[in-house]
Amino acid sequence: MTRSDADALASAVAAPDVASVAPEKETSLSLEANDTNWTTTVTGTTADWLDVRSRVIGSGEFLTDDDDADRAAVVVLGSQTATELFGRTDVVGQTVTMSGTDFTVVGVLAEQGSSGDANLDDVAVVPLSTLSEQLVGGFQRDALSTIYVQAASADQLSAASQEVTTILLNLHGSASADAADFTVASQDSLVSTATAVYRTLTVLLTGIAALSLLVGGIGVMNIMLVSVTERTREIGLRKALGAPPWAIRRQFLVEASVLGLGGGLLGAALGIAAAAWLPGLLDTSVVVSAPAVAGSVAVAVGIGLVFGVYPATRAARLAPIDALRAQ
């Protein structure tokens, strides 16, 4: 893709649902300032990039249309890039050298964090024409890495995506999007992909959780059956003294529920401990949801109750005389 493709997408006649277009060209270069070198991603773009990419200027100002038209030697640094080169972020007016050319820092981007594997704060943004003519050059000077397009509104996103695809297909002489030498991705497609992935993970995790609950429930039932066997004489004695079957059943159901409650509380405690430990290991945040913790404990109690029904019923059905004879 080239600058002419981006200009075509910015046409209000051909693409009425497109609000802004920001062509982008990237390369990796070494920056030098005060005897400090730092290699980062240098992005060449236009003035609309700030709005289209939803970035904010922390200090100074962003690139202008005149900077691009004049091939100005100006640069906007990411917060981390500024810190690595100068040890601070208030560096507007300082000079940075790239490929033997001195660039004046006109602004510093506000801290943004990371997106996937990309560190959005480690970047240097220069006018697209400056990057193409002075820093890259050669037969690749007109090539673009990406063209970012902003729809006029959220409701016009689908229409804008279709307009972009149609224009680029015509410009590149492609019969269909499958045969094109470019790809168009929108927020809708990204959300759909993420939703499909999350749905698959949900199904897998649900299956694993169901299997774990089944195994745990069988364990509870076996423990309760052993308890019934060991306490047969006790059950017979209670029945001989007048305890009705429902009282015996209730006793063992309560014990099974307490067993499930103990397992649920232990599991919740281990989960909370893991949530406190994992952020330091994975360098990410883990949020503990109180309703989820309460729900998991409730499910554990329910599993104990459900799988305790058979042992409790078996205990309630024991004949007093047979139970008293048990050794």
Side-chain angles (χ1 to χ4, degrees):
M1 294 185 294
T2 64
R3 184 72 178 265
S4 61
D5 292 329
D7 293 338
L9 297 180
S11 170
V13 177
D17 295 299
V18 172
S20 302
V21 177
E24 182 179 285
K25 183 180 184 68
E26 290 185 343
T27 188
S28 181
L29 293 174
S30 178
L31 282 62
E32 182 179 352
N34 298 332
D35 297 327
T36 300
N37 290 288
W38 182 254
T39 300
T40 187
T41 300
V42 178
T43 300
T45 188
T46 59
D48 289 331
W49 183 88
L50 192 69
D51 291 332
V52 174
R53 299 289 288 143
S54 299
R55 298 299 299 268
V56 177
I57 283 290
S59 60
E61 59 184 18
F62 194 65
L63 307 176
T64 65
D65 292 330
D66 290 337
D67 292 333
D68 186 48
D70 298 338
R71 299 180 177 84
V74 293
V75 61
V76 176
L77 299 178
S79 58
Q80 180 179 339
T81 308
T83 302
E84 294 291 346
L85 289 172
F86 298 96
R88 63 187 194 279
T89 57
D90 54 334
V91 295
V92 175
Q94 298 293 321
T95 299
V96 173
T97 302
M98 287 183 279
S99 298
T101 302
D102 291 337
F103 285 76
T104 301
V105 180
V106 296
V108 176
L109 295 169
E111 186 174 348
Q112 185 82 5
S114 299
S115 176
D117 295 331
N119 185 352
L120 302 180
D121 296 324
D122 188 11
V123 66
V125 185
V126 300
L128 179 59
S129 59
T130 304
L131 179 67
S132 300
E133 300 294 335
Q134 300 183 30
L135 299 179
V136 178
F139 67 94
Q140 285 290 335
R141 69 176 58 187
D142 294 329
L144 298 175
S145 305
T146 309
I147 300 177
Y148 289 100
V149 178
Q150 185 179 48
S153 68
D155 295 335
Q156 296 169 273
L157 179 59
S158 179
S161 178
Q162 184 60 47
E163 291 165 2
V164 167
T165 302
T166 301
I167 293 173
L168 291 180
L169 286 175
N170 293 333
L171 290 175
H172 289 239
S174 300
S176 65
D178 294 334
D181 56 355
F182 61 87
T183 56
V184 177
S186 68
Q187 295 294 335
D188 281 345
S189 63
L190 295 177
V191 169
S192 299
T193 301
T195 300
V197 173
Y198 292 148
R199 186 181 296 113
T200 301
L201 290 176
T202 299
V203 172
L204 291 176
L205 292 175
T206 301
I208 294 173
L211 182 60
S212 300
L213 291 174
L214 176 62
V215 173
I218 293 174
V220 170
M221 184 171 62
N222 288 335
I223 292 174
M224 294 305 300
L225 286 173
V226 171
S227 178
V228 170
T229 301
E230 292 180 346
R231 297 163 62 185
T232 301
R233 291 177 62 84
E234 174 191 334
I235 297 171
L237 181 60
R238 288 195 63 192
K239 282 200 163 189
L241 294 176
W246 61 264
I248 304 297
R249 185 182 297 108
R250 183 180 62 183
Q251 174 188 349
F252 282 93
L253 285 178
V254 169
E255 291 181 8
S257 300
V258 171
L259 194 61
L261 176 63
L265 292 176
L266 179 60
L270 291 175
I272 294 173
W277 173 69
L278 284 176
L281 180 65
L282 303 178
D283 193 24
T284 186
S285 60
V286 178
V287 178
V288 177
S289 170
V293 173
S296 65
V297 174
V299 169
V301 174
I303 290 295
L305 187 62
V306 169
F307 282 87
V309 169
Y310 174 69
T313 302
R314 182 175 175 179
R317 289 177 178 177
L318 286 175
I321 187 64
D322 295 332
L324 290 173
R325 286 176 179 174
Q327 298 296 327

